[in-house]
Amino acid sequence: MKNIKLWVHQRGANEDELIINPNDFPDVSIGDILEIYHAEETNRLLLQVKSLKTESQQKEIVSIDQSVASIFKLRQYKEVIVNKVKEADVELDLVELLFKDQYVSRRDMWRLKKRMMSTCAYISQKVEICGIRAQVNELWAKGDKVTCGAISENTKIAFRSSKSMCYLFVQMSSEMWEFDSNGDLYWEKAVNGFLKDLFTQWKQQNVNNELTIVFFSRRIYNAQSLDDFPGSMRSCLHTDYKGRLYEDFYKVIVQHERRDDWLPMLITLKQHFIQYLNLIVPNSEGVVIPSSYISSAAEGNFLEVLNISLNLFDKHYIDRNFDRTGQLVIMITSGAGVFEVDRELCNLTKQRMIDYGINTDLICMAEQPLHVTPLFRVSKQSVLLCTLAIS
């Protein structure tokens, strides 16, 4: 422990965040970690010694980068306490890196992780290695958030992208027009609850995703055969394992849009919700069409929509956009996460998701059941009659 006067310097004048005189610290060598703090403060800074030059620093003075001093509220010309600490005592469990406006491959992530081993990290630190620009967003050690620490072989590094390709699918099942136990429409819970919180968090964290929003639903007809429908409708109809004729609907609200603030989009979504029932009613053109109803969330076209997103990500490496990283699929349903699916389509979707390495976030508006979700219920009579052809 040593009391010494603190100076600050501009990073452009010297590449090192920490400058010390080796004569003041004879037991310190390159690669050691120093703890710097004011005696009356609890917030402590950890920096690694990267160079030792006698002629570059005056005696009894330690100098750190001005931006780092402002983050940790270290006052210039005041005395600070400098301690040499062991890496194992300040080891980090998790480091979360945030990057934006660039494409970072898994190879780049591996290189960045290797270069950051045996170094120190602090909150809001800007990292630029191998052409990758990132910022330290969160640090965790021993189950708590910390402001600085040492990165070792045991430290996990997580990468977060502020600009990715995001697909948001909203299932417009029959439950959307029903009330929950608190008296709110499930649609209101989705828009005023989840989506409002999501867009607010994106705005606070300066996230600029490329977003596509799609409404989807399934309409089941009370008919016995295709002969009950006009010829213009027959190509859109399919038969499920129960022998019922159905038709799938998809409504694109926004496509590949980037906005700094997505909260005004909530008004647009509410307007489309009001018009949605009239939108999916087929135009009979004077011909009598059998009656129909919107299916429940369990009987909906969940896997079909999931395969739509997989088709979009199938050739993501062709004509790649180099100003974004990541692919995200969000499914919002009013059900409890139980779906009646076709066995062959379920196996196909599972294999495609494994091959492409894409995960899906399922948001259920209903109360959580007592079993694990999502749960796919397959009938013994389930036979694949036709597949959804998407170009």
Side-chain angles (χ1 to χ4, degrees), residues 197-334:
D197 294 341
L198 178 65
F199 294 158
T200 302
Q201 190 172 6
W202 283 3
K203 183 179 179 181
Q204 293 175 351
Q205 299 183 359
N206 196 21
V207 175
N208 191 14
N209 290 327
E210 186 173 304
L211 182 62
T212 299
I213 303 177
V214 179
F215 288 176
F216 69 96
S217 62
R218 171 168 292 181
R219 197 172 189 91
I220 300 177
Y221 291 92
N222 299 315
Q224 300 298 326
S225 65
L226 292 175
D227 298 333
D228 299 334
F229 298 89
S232 58
M233 289 185 58
R234 294 176 183 177
S235 60
C236 303
L237 298 174
H238 306 277
T239 307
D240 61 6
Y241 69 94
K242 293 182 179 180
R244 299 176 301 181
L245 294 171
Y246 67 88
E247 185 178 6
D248 292 337
F249 292 90
Y250 306 92
K251 172 64 177 177
V252 179
I253 309 301
V254 294
Q255 185 174 13
H256 300 311
E257 286 194 17
R258 297 180 183 177
R259 300 185 183 183
D260 296 330
D261 185 8
W262 281 95
L263 288 175
M265 176 55 60
L266 298 178
I267 300 176
T268 305
L269 294 178
K270 293 177 182 178
Q271 292 174 349
H272 283 280
F273 169 73
I274 296 173
Q275 304 169 359
Y276 188 79
L277 285 179
N278 296 329
L279 228 119
I280 64 175
V281 175
N283 187 7
S284 59
E285 299 179 354
V287 181
V288 178
I289 297 178
S291 60
S292 60
Y293 59 93
I294 297 179
S295 70
S296 62
E299 298 176 332
N301 47 342
F302 174 77
L303 290 183
E304 287 81 356
V305 172
L306 190 54
N307 277 274
I308 289 179
S309 62
L310 295 177
N311 290 339
L312 296 171
F313 294 146
D314 188 13
K315 304 294 182 181
H316 64 91
Y317 53 87
I318 299 178
D319 194 17
R320 184 187 295 276
N321 195 327
F322 288 100
D323 67 344
R324 65 169 183 252
T325 302
Q327 302 161 351
L328 178 63
V329 180
I330 302 175
M331 295 278 192
I332 300 178
T333 176
S334 57

Side-chain angles (χ1 to χ4, degrees), residues 320-354:
R320 184 187 295 276
N321 195 327
F322 288 100
D323 67 344
R324 65 169 183 252
T325 302
Q327 302 161 351
L328 178 63
V329 180
I330 302 175
M331 295 278 192
I332 300 178
T333 176
S334 57
V338 180
F339 300 97
E340 297 179 3
V341 299
D342 181 88
R343 184 183 297 275
E344 293 186 26
L345 183 58
C346 181
N347 294 335
L348 174 64
T349 306
K350 177 183 177 181
Q351 188 61 45
R352 294 186 70 188
M353 293 187 69
I354 294 175

Side-chain angles (χ1 to χ4, degrees), residues 16 59 94 106 109 126 128 140 236 279 283 375 390:
D16 294 335
K59 292 184 178 181
L94 174 65
R106 296 191 178 184
M109 295 179 185
K126 289 180 170 45
E128 188 169 354
W140 291 81
C236 303
L279 228 119
N283 187 7
L375 178 63
I390 305 172

Side-chain angles (χ1 to χ4, degrees), residues 73-137:
K73 299 179 181 180
L74 296 175
R75 299 181 297 276
Q76 190 176 7
Y77 308 126
K78 298 290 184 179
E79 284 193 354
V80 292
I81 299 176
V82 181
N83 292 328
K84 179 181 175 181
V85 297
K86 297 180 180 180
E87 179 180 326
D89 297 335
V90 292
E91 184 182 42
L92 293 170
D93 296 331
L94 174 65
V95 177
E96 185 177 287
L97 296 179
L98 192 66
F99 54 90
K100 187 178 181 181
D101 297 330
Q102 58 186 318
Y103 172 72
V104 182
S105 64
R106 296 191 178 184
R107 176 188 59 186
D108 298 330
M109 295 179 185
W110 180 84
R111 289 179 176 178
L112 180 60
K113 180 179 179 180
K114 290 299 181 183
R115 290 287 297 272
M116 293 185 67
M117 288 296 143
S118 300
T119 61
C120 282
Y122 55 86
I123 202 73
S124 301
Q125 178 185 7
K126 289 180 170 45
V127 181
E128 188 169 354
I129 300 175
C130 302
I132 306 172
R133 305 178 308 277
Q135 184 176 1
V136 177
N137 188 36

